[in-house]
Amino acid sequence: MAGLSVNGERLWQSLMTMAEIGATAAGGVNRQTLTDEDRRGRDLFREWCEAAGLSVSVDRMGSMFARRQGKDERRPPVLLGSHLDSQPTGGKFDGALGVLGALEVIRTLNDHGIETQAPLEVVNWTNEEGCRFPPAMIASGVFAGVFDLDYGLSRKDHAGNTIGEELQGIGYAGERPVGHRPVGALFELHIEQGPILEAEGRRIGIVTGGQGTRWYDCEVTGAETHAGPSPMEVRRDALRAGAALLEEIYQIAHRHAPDGRATVGEFQAYPGSRNTVPGRVRFTVDLRHPDGGTMDAMDHALREVFERARGRHAGRIDCQVEEIWYAPPVAFDPDCIDAVRQAAAALRLSAREIISGAGHDAVYMARVVPTAMIFVPCKDGISHAEVEYASPEACADGANVLLHAVLARANA
Ligand SMILES: [Zn+2]
């Protein structure tokens, strides 16, 4: 089986055909979850799965599972897949590569009459993107027990429609319970959505886990006063004090390079008048790192930045930071990671270990199922955009690694 490889041309054709559903004028895809476009994408996927001899079932969150029998049906299935929903101005590859790459694995096994010990299931998760129904990755989250089913079904879009209603509307409100069944392993193939593989000329990313994320709300309070008569020394300028903190915050990430991240994505000054010294600013901080201990150290460093600032301003300006959310880092399963590593090596594809910067269904599933991911480079690291692009060779590389990793796991 060492020489076995997917049909890259067939995979590319499938990607391009799927991308016609919800195609945008600028070459992207708008196939938001539970819309008519999503229904058409699901129908096509179901048709392809059935043509490949798979039996398709749908769970109560609308996630689709296309099963190929194993020689030993008592063994839990190996899941492979991703998501077919997109951003409003999304691309052809984010999610679709993982689902159609998984289908290509099945088609390849069929072509060669290869059976596996464990059954295989190609999965298409509902609402990975979260742009229409926040939060993201809701269906895999329910599967993994992060959210309960009622919470999942009751999420609303801007128009007030719930996921449950919209699943009924497109005919994908399935009967099957969500989760609560054994799964042997899960593999998700995805474009990197970052620039590292392309910059280093590597063809495969062996994803070892997902970053931890901490979100904070910050507030600096001084006093408003007139921009003219007030001498600089007597001011309690909240914007000036707040802005002085920013570089110290970015340095926390630099001190934990190369994996540390610090982002201030929102920054507002009040009252927002050009001839009034701002009396208050509020801003957000997003800290990330793949290691839990380092995340704690970064959290500590951020609190120290604020403590030092309070000391400097000696009661004249107050600086407060409050943590509002913490998602701990996720480490993927060592055996599944090794299956990906071995597959890339056997195929002689240059590879490196990498941490996922974005959220994925696999990150939730890793809490309950042995999981790993495979990344392939995408042009300029761009995704969630109509110009998103992965080459036919990159897509085939990823599907080949998926094929061999899944074979190793399903026959182990
Ligand atoms: Zn995705």
Side-chain angles (χ1 to χ4, degrees):
M1 266 187 261
L4 189 68
S5 99
V6 303
N7 182 334
E9 219 161 284
R10 178 171 57 193
L11 170 58
W12 186 256
Q13 275 311 320
S14 298
L15 284 163
M16 294 306 111
T17 304
M18 184 58 77
E20 287 169 18
I21 300 174
T24 62
V29 169
N30 178 6
R31 201 169 49 236
Q32 290 181 71
T33 195
L34 310 186
T35 58
D36 196 50
E37 287 74 26
D38 185 28
R39 178 187 60 75
R40 288 164 53 212
R42 288 164 174 264
D43 288 352
L44 179 60
F45 170 62
R46 181 200 287 267
E47 189 186 310
W48 282 343
C49 287
E50 287 172 353
L54 306 178
S55 50
V56 179
S57 63
V58 181
D59 75 13
R60 293 192 61 195
M61 283 301 295
S63 297
M64 301 170 72
F65 300 88
R67 185 176 174 103
R68 186 178 194 263
Q69 285 201 348
K71 285 191 220 171
D72 182 356
E73 277 290 299
R74 287 164 310 181
R75 284 179 57 167
V78 172
L79 263 55
L80 53 162
S82 189
H83 60 97
L84 288 172
D85 68 322
S86 82
Q87 292 282 319
T89 52
K92 300 182 179 82
F93 303 92
D94 177 353
L97 174 61
V99 176
L100 301 179
L103 177 61
E104 178 54 38
V105 166
I106 302 292
R107 288 168 165 170
T108 302
L109 297 178
N110 289 349
D111 290 347
H112 295 83
I114 297 167
E115 288 182 280
T116 53
Q117 290 295 333
L120 306 180
E121 290 186 18
V122 179
V123 54
N124 170 33
W125 298 108
T126 296
N127 190 38
E128 191 275 344
E129 295 291 357
C131 46
R132 184 178 172 205
F133 295 97
M137 305 172 293
I138 184 103
S140 55
V142 175
F143 196 107
V146 178
F147 309 114
D148 65 37
L149 178 64
D150 289 339
Y151 176 84
L153 291 173
S154 60
R155 293 309 89 206
K156 285 184 180 153
D157 67 6
H158 280 305
N161 306 302
T162 66
I163 287 184
E165 289 158 3
E166 294 298 90
L167 278 170
Q168 296 281 354
I170 65 161
Y172 277 89
E175 305 267 287
R176 213 170 159 178
V178 183
H180 301 290
R181 62 180 175 114
V183 172
L186 177 134
F187 292 92
E188 182 171 357
L189 165 63
H190 208 280
I191 55 171
E192 180 196 346
Q193 305 180 276
I196 295 169
L197 296 176
E198 186 182 60
E200 294 186 359
R202 313 258 190 172
R203 292 166 71 179
I204 293 294
I206 303 158
V207 189
T208 55
Q211 289 174 328
T213 303
R214 274 196 155 101
W215 282 359
Y216 302 87
D217 282 342
C218 308
E219 192 162 271
V220 176
T221 314
E224 291 167 21
T225 185
H226 196 296
S230 322
M232 298 305 282
E233 309 78 62
V234 305
R235 295 183 179 195
R236 297 162 60 200
D237 186 332
L239 177 54
R240 188 173 182 178
L245 301 179
L246 297 186
E247 192 49 37
E248 288 187 72
I249 292 168
Y250 300 131
Q251 286 305 326
I252 296 172
H254 286 292
R255 279 203 302 277
H256 297 96
D259 292 325
R261 306 275 188 274
T263 304
V264 176
E266 297 175 30
F267 196 107
Q268 281 107 22
Y270 302 95
S273 160
R274 72 171 65 222
N275 54 356
T276 298
V277 173
R280 183 169 74 92
V281 297
R282 69 162 291 275
F283 58 97
T284 59
V285 174
D286 172 317
L287 294 183
R288 301 189 188 217
H289 197 279
D291 176 73
T294 310
M295 282 256 37
D296 291 343
M298 291 170 73
D299 171 72
H300 188 70
L302 181 70
R303 291 172 196 280
E304 278 184 351
V305 165
F306 278 78
E307 212 173 288
R308 280 199 303 275
R310 280 195 296 274
R312 265 199 312 275
H313 295 297
R316 293 175 42 79
I317 295 177
D318 189 33
C319 304
Q320 294 295 335
V321 56
E322 185 195 353
E323 180 186 301
I324 59 157
W325 183 57
Y326 177 44
V330 171
F332 287 152
D333 177 73
D335 291 341
C336 290
I337 296 169
D338 205 48
V340 172
R341 186 185 295 113
Q342 301 287 345
L347 293 160
R348 298 179 188 284
L349 297 171
S350 63
R352 64 163 279 163
E353 293 193 353
I354 193 165
I355 291 286
S356 175
H360 293 288
D361 294 306
V363 173
Y364 277 153
M365 288 298 287
R367 298 191 187 195
V368 291
V369 170
T371 295
M373 289 187 78
I374 301 154
F375 278 174
V376 292
C378 55
K379 190 167 186 302
D380 302 325
I382 292 171
S383 71
H384 285 197
E386 291 166 289
V387 297
E388 175 186 291
Y389 180 79
S391 70
E393 296 73 31
C395 294
D397 286 347
N400 275 320
V401 172
L402 180 67
L403 168 69
H404 287 280
V406 164
L407 271 177
R409 183 73 186 196
N411 289 328

